[in-house]
Amino acid sequence: MTESSPQLKVPKSDPDFFILEEDGKNLDRFEKMSARHPVNILTTGNQGCGKSSLVRQFAAIYNRPMAAFQIGLLLESGQLFGQTRLKDGETYYREYLFPKAIQTPGCVIHLEEINRTESPHALNELFSVLSEDRSIWIDELGFVKVAPGVMFFATMNEGDEFTGTETLDAALKDRFYRIHLEYLPEDVEREVLIRKTGISEESALQVLHLVNRIRNNEEMGISVSVRHSLMIAELVSLGASLREAMVYSLQISKDSLESLLLSVHVETGETKAERGRYVLYTPEKEAVKK
Ligand SMILES: Nc1ncnc2c1ncn2[C@@H]1O[C@H](COP(=O)(O)OP(=O)(O)O)[C@@H](O)[C@H]1O
Ligand SMILES: [Mg+2]
């Protein structure tokens, strides 16, 4: 009945992914539990702090197929399952990946940005598949039953600034275990930067010194994720100065960066950038040289 779909693959593991030991142990418990009864996990944390990677890594570690769905983009109910289409004057129902995925035993279903739906109606079917009976009637498909061992991982961006605020419907939230991802401790993040970008230990320290000053400065209101520090580190590893790497990686202007560098008293050893020199940017590279 359920044909295997090319989109349902076991993801490749990330050899440089770190989590809190305790989170890992409990993920193992959840995995064991999933053989007995349905388990749903909500992963929260700031943007770019490893939520999606964690879901992928979980699937890779336990050799489970995985599929991700952007819940934040849903506009109406039914959109996850399929769509009625017209072909040669005839209507037919085109089944989407979601019903295939939830009917695949052991599949990891990643529900991305579950708190961001445009329309609350879009979540209607999710309530049914996440509940204990794990099944739903879809007119065009009949009775759709969630296969044994399927695990739902919902992720939502919820940083410390939102703690205590209900950003997700309480009845929905009620159905999940929760793992909250914090920023990595500095020594672990340094290890990640070194392993993933090949940046030197000294430069990695410099990057994180600056990044952590920004993170700890609430007035600046700039959140710098692991994704950002990786972007900065990769540029630095390719020869960019710290200043350049920050300008191109963070959504801030050169001016605010200057005042930022000043305000955090970071000694980067670089003088304030002059107005840049303009050069030709054409396929004839020689022209750039002069
Ligand atoms: N704990 C971590 N260990 C290693 N890399 C990480 C970690 N957290 C985040 N990253 C890296 O940062 C980037 C963003 O992570 P991602 O999972 O997409 O974040 P989110 O889903 O929370 O927005 C990815 O390249 C990911 O590999
Ligand atoms: Mg994500």
Side-chain angles (χ1 to χ4, degrees):
M1 217 178 52
T2 311
E3 358 143 21
S4 70
S5 165
Q7 292 116 306
L8 292 176
K9 278 191 292 223
V10 178
K12 249 185 75 187
S13 66
D14 177 350
D16 309 311
F17 192 71
F18 290 80
I19 60 169
L20 204 58
E21 186 177 23
E22 189 183 38
D23 287 344
K25 284 186 179 157
N26 283 290
L27 280 166
D28 196 56
R29 295 184 179 118
F30 296 143
E31 210 270 341
K32 291 197 172 84
M33 256 186 227
S34 76
R36 301 186 197 159
H37 58 77
V39 178
N40 309 319
I41 299 162
L42 175 65
T43 310
T44 55
N46 284 304
Q47 190 145 9
C49 285
K51 299 182 297 296
S52 299
S53 309
L54 177 64
V55 180
R56 232 179 296 124
Q57 194 74 346
F58 178 90
I61 290 171
Y62 293 101
N63 204 26
R64 289 164 172 258
M66 192 202 93
F69 302 91
Q70 281 293 342
I71 303 304
L73 296 178
L74 297 179
L75 295 173
E76 58 193 59
S77 71
Q79 264 187 339
L80 272 172
F81 287 81
Q83 192 188 41
T84 305
R85 292 197 178 162
L86 196 65
K87 194 186 176 191
D88 305 326
E90 305 249 353
T91 60
Y92 71 103
Y93 187 75
R94 159 95 200 278
E95 185 184 341
Y96 289 162
L97 184 63
F98 187 75
K100 288 197 184 79
I102 65 175
Q103 293 176 96
T104 302
C107 197
V108 168
I109 315 282
H110 181 188
L111 308 169
E112 296 196 58
E113 308 218 329
I114 196 165
N115 56 326
R116 281 252 193 102
T117 34
E118 295 288 330
S119 150
H121 294 303
L123 295 177
N124 285 350
E125 292 100 353
L126 276 183
F127 274 97
S128 308
V129 296
L130 293 169
S131 72
E132 279 298 309
D133 48 289
R134 301 224 143 189
S135 55
I136 184 168
W137 174 267
I138 300 287
D139 284 342
E140 295 83 354
L141 295 172
F143 209 47
V144 178
K145 208 163 164 34
V146 178
V150 164
M151 290 177 82
F152 289 93
F153 277 78
T155 53
M156 65 186 220
N157 293 325
E158 186 188 63
D160 296 333
E161 67 269 33
F162 298 123
T163 308
T165 323
E166 287 301 323
T167 49
L168 184 63
D169 184 284
L172 192 57
K173 209 171 195 170
D174 210 45
R175 299 180 177 182
F176 291 92
Y177 287 97
R178 179 171 182 223
I179 293 183
H180 183 70
L181 296 182
E182 307 276 357
Y183 284 129
L184 292 171
E186 186 159 340
D187 56 331
V188 179
E189 191 167 0
R190 187 179 66 221
E191 185 72 19
V192 170
L193 299 191
I194 294 169
R195 294 174 68 122
K196 288 197 170 178
T197 73
I199 192 176
S200 71
E201 175 148 9
E202 196 196 340
S203 302
L205 277 170
Q206 278 187 358
V207 167
L208 290 177
H209 184 60
L210 196 47
V211 159
N212 283 321
R213 298 298 278 267
I214 301 175
R215 282 177 184 159
N216 296 330
N217 187 325
E218 280 171 21
E219 273 166 45
M220 275 189 251
I222 304 171
S223 79
V224 187
S225 62
V226 182
R227 180 184 287 122
H228 284 130
S229 58
L230 275 168
M231 288 163 74
I232 296 166
E234 188 167 18
L235 273 172
V236 170
S237 77
L238 290 170
S241 67
L242 198 48
R243 167 181 280 108
E244 278 175 301
M246 306 278 290
V247 168
Y248 287 100
S249 302
L250 303 176
Q251 312 283 324
I252 50 175
S253 70
K254 284 190 180 134
D255 283 350
S256 15
L257 180 70
E258 288 309 331
S259 51
L260 190 150
L261 288 171
L262 273 177
S263 75
V264 297
H265 303 298
V266 170
E267 211 32 79
T268 62
E270 297 163 30
T271 49
K272 189 178 182 303
E274 299 292 311
R275 176 180 177 276
R277 190 166 75 98
Y278 279 73
V279 295
L280 277 171
Y281 182 63
T282 64
E284 291 78 36
K285 285 250 161 68
E286 291 314 303
V288 176
K289 283 184 184 162
K290 240 210 316 209

